[in-house]
Structures are given as structure tokens and as C-alpha cells.
């Protein structure tokens, strides 16, 4: 039934389900089969109810992870319908389900799924103007993945909008520490700068400073020079940047000689 459902053949999955109900399959496993058949047929709410019934009988990490996947699918469906409140609700339920799965099986796929849903929920909350809720979700997610660059920059944005500049700076540093290569650093920093830059000049200065050195590490001279200029502009809005002036000047001089 699982195979047929994954192959998008709900009729075949339903036939297997009918056969299973006539046999001696365990109630919890039967609920899983019913959930898979329903999900393949696009009936995600029915699948969710079947999994909740199964969890009442046998709350296993596998069932919790399946429930998280269904809730995430429901969130995407409501997102496509432009219903942000329901999208938010189901993303939160997906994260809760994945957290239950992690508690029972910390080395499985649930941590990555929970992180993905947390990034999505944090971004959605920011778009809805729910900055405090976004900051709380990002902080919870960073307990699970403290060096995830994307989530750290989301957290930094929320902290900046809440006026917590020292915490914002710490989140930027922690996120950039998790970047594996110069090229990845450039892309991560660009993604951060693509957000609402005017809301947090201090954060922009931090990002341009790091981006200048990331471009230099990646042997991208013109991009590095442009980043130093951008840093100088944004640093004028942040008094705490004075200590960085010598290092950025040394970088500019080194690039000018190339």
C-alpha cells in the first residue's frame, strides 16, 4: 500500500487497504496503511486523522514523523491557497510532531525536517509582521541547530527589528561560523542582505564586512572591493564598527595591489 501510494496510484493502494482490513493486520499498522492511501489520494486531512488514531494506540517515532510530513503538506496546501493563518497553524503542528519523533529517535530524519519547517514558519511569521513569534520560533530552532546559517540570519533579522542589537550581532556570528566554504558564505550573506536591509543598519554592516572577506577568500576581487565600500556606508549607522576600520582598510589596500 505504501509503495502504491508513493507511486501516486491511490486506487491500487485502496485495494490493498481493503485486503488488509479483511486480514489480521495490527490496528496501528492498519491506520498507517489507511493514512498512506488517503495521502496518495490527496485526502491529507483523512490521513492526518488516521495517524492520530494510530498514535493513540502506539506513539512511535515513525508515526510522529509521518504526522509531521502530513502537517507540512497541509501547510503547503494552505500556502498555495493564500491562507497564511492555517499555513502557520499546520507548520507549528508539523514542528511539534517532528519534535516528538526526535525525542524517540534523535538520529533519524526528523531533525532535518523540523529545521526545514522552522525556517519556513519563521519566514512566514516575519512576513505577517509577527516579529516576536518569529524570534521565539527561530530561537527554539537554533537549540536544535545552533550553527544553521539560514536560521541564524532569520533570527538576527527578528532580533534587529526588536531592537536587540547585541543579540542580533551574536546570531550573525554564530550563523556565519556554520558556513562551510567561501562560495557558500557569499550566497548565505547575499540571502541575508536580500531581506529588509533598511530595518537594521547594524546588521547590514556586519553582513557587508563578512561578505568582503568571503569574496576575497573566493578570489572575487571586484565583488570584494564593492563589499568594502558598502560596509563603509552602512558602518556610518553603527558606532560599534570603529574597531573594524583597520582590518577593512588593510583588505582594501591588499585588493588594490592585485
Amino acid at each position: 500500500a505504501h509503495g502504491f501510494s508513493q507511486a501516486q496510484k491511490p486506487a491500487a493502494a485502496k485495494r490493498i487497504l481493503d485486503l488488509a482490513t479483511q486480514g489480521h493486520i495490527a490496528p496501528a499498522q492498519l491506520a498507517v496503511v489507511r493514512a498512506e492511501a488517503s495521502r496518495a489520494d490527496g485526502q491529507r486531512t483523512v490521513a492526518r486523522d488516521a495517524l492520530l488514531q494510530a498514535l493513540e494506540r502506539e506513539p512511535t517515532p515513525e508515526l510522529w514523523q509521518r504526522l509531521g510530513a502530513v502537517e507540512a503538506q497541509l501547510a503547503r496546501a494552505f500556502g498555495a491557497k493564500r491562507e497564511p493563518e492555517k499555513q502557520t497553524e499546520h507548520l507549528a503542528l508539523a514542528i511539534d510532531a517532528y519534535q516528538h519523533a526526535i525525542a524517540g529517535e534523535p538520529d533519524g530524519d526528523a531533525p532535518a525536517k523540523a529545521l526545514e519547517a522552522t525556517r519556513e514558519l519563521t519566514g512566514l511569521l516575519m512576513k505577517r509582521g509577527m516579529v516576536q513569534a518569529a524570534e521565539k520560533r527561530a530561537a527554539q530552532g537554533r537549540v536544535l541547530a545552533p550553527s544553521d546559517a539560514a536560521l541564524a540570519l532569520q533570527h538576527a533579522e527578528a532580533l534587529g527589528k526588536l531592537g536587540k542589537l547585541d543579540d542580533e550581532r551574536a546570531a550573525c556570528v554564530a550563523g556565519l561560523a556554520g558556513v562551510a566554504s567561501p562560495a557558500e558564505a557569499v550566497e548565505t550573506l547575499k540571502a541575508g542582505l536580500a531581506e529588509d536591509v533598511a530595518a537594521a543598519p547594524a546588521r547590514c554592516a556586519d553582513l557587508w564586512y563578512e561578505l568582503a572577506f568571503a569574496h576575497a577568500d573566493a578570489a572575487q576581487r571586484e565583488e570584494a572591493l564593492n563589499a568594502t565600500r558598502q560596509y563603509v556606508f552602512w558602518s556610518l549607522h553603527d558606532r560599534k564598527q570603529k574597531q573594524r576600520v583597520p582590518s577593512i582598510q588593510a583588505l582594501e589596500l591588499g585588493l588594490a595591489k592585485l
Side-chain angles (χ1 to χ4, degrees):
H2 176 71
F4 279 122
S5 68
Q6 294 299 306
Q8 301 298 313
K9 295 182 179 179
K14 187 177 184 303
R15 285 199 297 274
I16 297 294
L17 175 60
D18 291 339
L19 289 171
T21 57
Q22 299 168 19
H24 301 284
I25 190 169
Q29 188 62 31
L30 178 58
V32 172
V33 175
R34 183 179 292 113
E36 287 294 341
S38 300
R39 185 162 62 161
D41 200 22
Q43 301 179 49
R44 299 183 185 91
T45 303
V46 177
R48 176 176 179 266
D49 291 343
L51 286 168
L52 287 171
Q53 290 175 10
L55 282 163
E56 289 179 1
R57 297 174 179 269
E58 188 181 353
T60 66
E62 180 190 1
L63 288 176
W64 280 117
Q65 184 159 334
R66 287 176 184 271
L67 179 62
V70 171
E71 294 288 8
Q73 287 180 340
L74 282 166
R76 284 191 287 272
F78 283 115
K81 294 178 183 178
R82 300 183 183 277
E83 297 185 42
E85 289 185 9
K86 290 184 177 180
Q87 184 184 7
T88 300
E89 176 189 348
H90 285 287
L91 278 172
L93 289 170
I95 293 168
D96 290 343
Y98 287 134
Q99 292 287 3
H100 281 291
I102 293 168
E105 190 176 321
D107 297 329
D109 296 333
K113 297 292 185 182
L115 183 60
E116 180 183 354
T118 300
R119 286 194 295 255
E120 188 175 351
L121 179 55
T122 301
L124 179 60
L125 290 169
M126 289 295 290
K127 286 181 180 179
R128 295 182 64 191
M130 302 170 69
V131 181
Q132 287 187 333
E135 190 277 325
K136 183 178 178 180
R137 281 292 177 180
Q140 291 171 347
R142 292 187 62 213
V143 172
L144 183 66
S147 295
D148 181 77
L151 186 58
L153 288 174
Q154 283 182 311
H155 194 201
E157 180 186 8
L159 288 165
K161 289 187 176 182
L162 291 173
K164 300 178 180 179
L165 298 183
D166 289 337
D167 292 336
E168 173 196 10
R169 193 183 307 276
C172 282
V173 171
L176 292 169
V179 174
S181 67
E184 187 181 350
V186 167
E187 292 306 313
T188 300
L189 291 161
K190 283 181 178 178
L193 285 163
E195 296 163 2
D196 187 7
V197 294
R203 175 168 173 267
C204 292
D206 280 335
L207 291 172
W208 280 115
Y209 180 85
E210 299 291 347
L211 187 55
F213 286 93
H215 276 304
D217 289 343
Q220 297 170 340
R221 179 179 176 276
E222 293 301 322
E223 291 86 347
L225 283 169
N226 178 62
T228 64
R229 298 185 191 104
Q230 290 288 344
Y231 165 74
V232 170
F233 171 78
W234 287 103
S235 68
L236 298 176
H237 299 275
D238 183 11
R239 296 177 182 176
K240 294 182 180 180
Q241 298 292 339
K242 291 181 180 179
Q243 63 202 28
R244 287 177 163 178
V245 171
S247 58
I248 205 75
Q249 286 178 335
L251 178 64
E252 283 190 299
L253 287 172
L255 290 166
K257 293 176 182 177
L258 295 177

